[in-house]
Amino acid sequence: MQKYEKLEKIGEGTYGTVFKAKNRETQEIVALKRVRLDDDDEGVPSSALREICLLKELKHKNIVRLHDVLHSDKKLTLVFEHCDQDLKKYFDSLNGEIDPDIVKSFITQRSNRLSFSHCKHVIGRQQKYPSLALNESGELKLADFGLARAFGIPVRCYSAEVVTLWYRPPDVLFGAKLYNTSIDMWSAGCIFAVLKSVTQILFMGESEDEGQYTFTVFLNHEQSSLGEGEGEGQYKSTSLHLESTVHLSYSKYFSKIRHRRLNRLLICNPALRMSAEDAMTHSYFADLLPSLHNG
Amino acid sequence: VLLGYEYQNDIYEIKKDLEKPYHPINCMASQPVVTSFMRCTLVNWLVKVNHELKFAPETAFLAVNLCDRFLQATPLAQDCLQLMATSALTVAAKMEECIVPGISELVAMCGGTYQPHHFRRMEVLMLSKLGFELYAPTTWFFITHLAMKAAESGSWDKRVVSLA
């Protein structure tokens, strides 16, 4: 640990504490994530293991860079590239006003890196806007891979306890264990909506039950108000309406074309949800510089 | 249509590229005590344990890859062999499975030969020797991939998968 000088505590990750630190030799500022290996626990946590070896494989400008792993018998220290702020702090500093072009740039960068990691057979399962970090030049980086895992084809059963509740897709919220990249695309839709509306979370719920409830009420409400719902109120954990799309009454924030895109991300049936690559070719991004597409 | 079908070929390409760096070469060469016969016994034992814990085949294949790469890098005493294999299986399970056996279970699995702290130390040692490079492409991956391709073209034979 002599190589780095601890400056301040930044926060708590999925596991362990994160510090801001300085490399004594190069003066470079880094983020240190420390995982304690106590005598009474089960060795290195699987989330730490997965995060380390996934980040070793994923090198992309929209993914936070893992520089090094230091280890001793008592602790593991992950040395990350340091980002100045996360998206949540950035929004809080904006007081509710956001430039549509910045939103577009963020969304592009997110879709870009999602498409990249999906091609590298990694699902994030941890899309939420506090885990998206920003550096000085406005580059968006995904910072928390604590719940990520590689997937294979055919996809096997994974844990349903993934993704922060507010960004969890309905199929998984209702207990589906067989999922794949579509789980990230739902969260992407939620974040997109959050970005457009500036910090207004779509499906807020304090617990899983409440999450399901909020969701059900939301769908029922939307369906009845649109007059196209059939058998509202039958939404039980076993009978998920897979064909429905979440219709959003966020017209204030969304122009039609964006709305349509969101609709394709927030589709209850995971098989019909847009893929990250499709998202990248959407007309919403058509007017962006080509340089943003290749990265 | 399978879930995630559109990424099937991408995954195959990545795994193909990773095959070489993750492939153990002559893993028994630097072992003064451990013999190929012992390794064979060890692998048989691992496969049985893997089955008993109801892990996916992928986990066993990954564990054997971790064992071999560890053996390639580190001369090992005979009495640590089972400890090393158990750690490899645990690491593989942490990567692949939803439920991972606890250290007390590992102690019982090895008949009380090793203490809990042995497992913790071996795990860290293994991770550092392997440089945290754990997503090895396995024989099981390639076989299932080829079997799926065969199924697409209609020449699917269930026995193919058993070859792995």
Side-chain angles (χ1 to χ4, degrees):
Chain A
M1 281 314 292
Q2 295 310 307
K3 201 173 160 193
Y4 298 97
E5 181 190 340
K6 245 183 258 171
L7 298 176
E8 59 179 308
K9 185 176 162 180
I10 304 175
E12 301 276 339
T14 316
Y15 49 87
T17 320
V18 188
F19 294 95
K20 182 177 173 178
K22 188 166 75 178
N23 186 328
R24 284 181 211 271
E25 289 160 29
T26 61
Q27 305 302 312
E28 189 187 6
I29 299 291
V30 294
L32 298 181
K33 196 169 186 175
R34 188 201 279 169
V35 188
R36 292 186 65 87
L37 305 175
D38 286 328
D39 279 342
D40 50 351
D41 60 25
E42 302 295 337
V44 183
S46 55
S47 48
L49 269 186
R50 288 176 185 173
E51 179 165 31
I52 295 168
C53 44
L54 288 176
L55 284 173
K56 275 182 162 268
E57 277 190 38
L58 299 172
K59 297 221 155 64
H60 187 273
K61 72 174 163 61
N62 295 129
I63 293 172
V64 75
R65 187 64 60 100
L66 176 66
H67 290 307
D68 200 3
V69 184
L70 312 166
H71 61 88
S72 69
D73 280 350
K74 292 280 168 214
K75 63 176 183 248
L76 268 183
T77 310
L78 318 189
V79 184
F80 286 105
E81 125 190 61
H82 180 258
C83 295
D84 305 298
Q85 53 186 346
D86 66 35
L87 213 51
K88 189 173 182 320
K89 282 186 203 148
Y90 177 70
F91 279 155
D92 291 346
S93 72
L94 287 177
N95 295 325
E97 296 289 320
I98 191 162
D99 184 346
D101 286 341
I102 292 182
V103 172
K104 190 177 277 195
S105 151
F106 283 172
I107 297 285
T108 321
Q109 295 188 49
R110 280 209 51 260
S111 307
N112 193 346
R113 89 100 204 141
L114 268 182
S115 148
F116 173 78
S117 57
H118 286 171
C119 290
K120 294 264 182 189
H121 72 102
V122 174
I123 33 180
R125 306 199 299 188
Q126 178 84 333
Q127 304 283 323
K128 53 173 187 183
Y129 78 120
S131 70
L132 293 166
L134 275 172
N135 73 2
E136 284 160 337
S137 45
E139 279 183 341
L140 199 64
K141 311 230 175 213
L142 191 82
D144 200 338
F145 268 71
L147 285 175
R149 65 158 297 144
F151 65 93
I153 314 280
V155 180
R156 300 192 352 242
C157 285
Y158 305 138
S159 168
E161 305 280 309
V162 289
V163 189
T164 310
L165 206 54
W166 300 343
Y167 308 89
R168 202 178 289 176
D171 47 322
V172 180
L173 189 59
F174 285 92
K177 289 183 174 173
L178 202 67
Y179 52 76
N180 67 339
T181 51
S182 63
I183 190 174
D184 285 344
M185 298 320 290
W186 175 278
S187 316
C190 289
I191 294 180
F192 186 50
V194 170
L195 281 172
K196 290 306 292 183
S197 58
V198 186
T199 71
Q200 175 102 38
I201 310 263
L202 270 186
F203 308 108
M204 253 194 266
E206 291 292 320
S207 66
E208 275 187 40
D209 283 349
E210 204 180 315
Q212 292 178 353
Y213 178 75
T214 317
F215 199 75
T216 312
V217 169
F218 181 80
L219 279 177
N220 283 341
H221 174 74
E222 287 301 320
Q223 284 183 342
S224 48
S225 67
L226 291 161
E228 58 176 48
E230 269 182 31
E232 301 97 308
Q234 290 179 358
Y235 256 79
K236 291 191 182 117
S237 46
T238 45
S239 62
L240 187 61
H241 247 264
L242 284 176
E243 296 311 319
S244 34
T245 302
V246 179
H247 293 278
L248 293 163
S249 44
Y250 272 74
S251 47
K252 197 171 139 200
Y253 305 110
F254 300 105
S255 66
K256 231 178 187 169
I257 188 161
R258 289 169 197 148
H259 196 138
R260 221 179 298 136
R261 175 172 188 267
L262 201 62
N263 274 351
R264 292 198 47 207
L265 289 172
L266 298 179
I267 290 176
C268 293
N269 184 349
L272 301 176
R273 231 170 271 159
M274 197 185 215
S275 80
E277 275 162 284
D278 291 343
M280 283 306 289
T281 54
H282 193 274
S283 53
Y284 175 55
F285 302 124
D287 57 338
L288 273 174
L289 294 170
S291 66
L292 267 173
H293 285 277
N294 327 309
Chain B
V1 176
L2 287 163
L3 275 173
Y5 175 79
E6 68 268 38
Y7 295 108
Q8 192 180 357
N9 288 331
D10 288 328
I11 298 177
Y12 173 76
E13 290 298 327
I14 296 159
K15 294 278 191 185
K16 193 88 191 66
D17 284 345
L18 291 176
E19 197 182 5
K20 268 218 171 113
Y22 279 98
H23 189 68
I25 304 154
N26 208 357
C27 63
M28 303 305 291
S30 61
Q31 292 301 329
V33 197
V34 179
T35 62
S36 303
F37 179 74
M38 291 178 197
R39 180 189 167 279
C40 182
T41 316
L42 195 71
V43 170
N44 281 334
W45 180 75
L46 261 186
V47 171
K48 271 188 207 138
V49 175
N50 194 72
H51 185 73
E52 206 147 287
L53 293 170
K54 298 192 172 62
F55 287 167
E58 175 72 16
T59 313
F61 279 92
L62 184 57
V64 174
N65 175 281
L66 300 180
C67 279
D68 286 347
R69 283 166 55 222
F70 185 85
L71 286 172
Q72 185 187 331
T74 328
L76 198 67
Q78 193 180 336
D79 57 357
C80 290
L81 203 55
Q82 198 185 16
L83 175 67
M84 188 275 295
T86 317
S87 294
L89 188 63
T90 317
V91 171
K94 282 179 179 176
M95 304 297 292
E96 286 295 323
E97 302 290 334
C98 297
I99 300 160
V100 178
I103 285 188
S104 54
E105 268 179 84
L106 302 181
V107 173
M109 229 155 68
C110 296
T113 318
Y114 312 105
Q115 296 298 308
H117 70 271
H118 291 138
F119 289 100
R120 291 191 195 98
R121 292 207 52 186
M122 181 47 105
E123 186 179 41
V124 174
L125 179 67
M126 171 168 277
L127 293 173
S128 67
K129 287 282 178 189
L130 301 181
F132 286 91
E133 278 158 8
L134 307 175
Y135 270 121
T138 59
T139 318
W140 179 256
F141 166 79
F142 289 112
I143 288 277
T144 44
H145 178 82
L146 294 175
M148 271 188 293
K149 287 284 171 198
E152 268 172 42
S153 62
S155 56
W156 162 253
D157 185 341
K158 212 180 167 198
R159 284 171 300 177
V160 173
V161 181
S162 319
L163 283 176

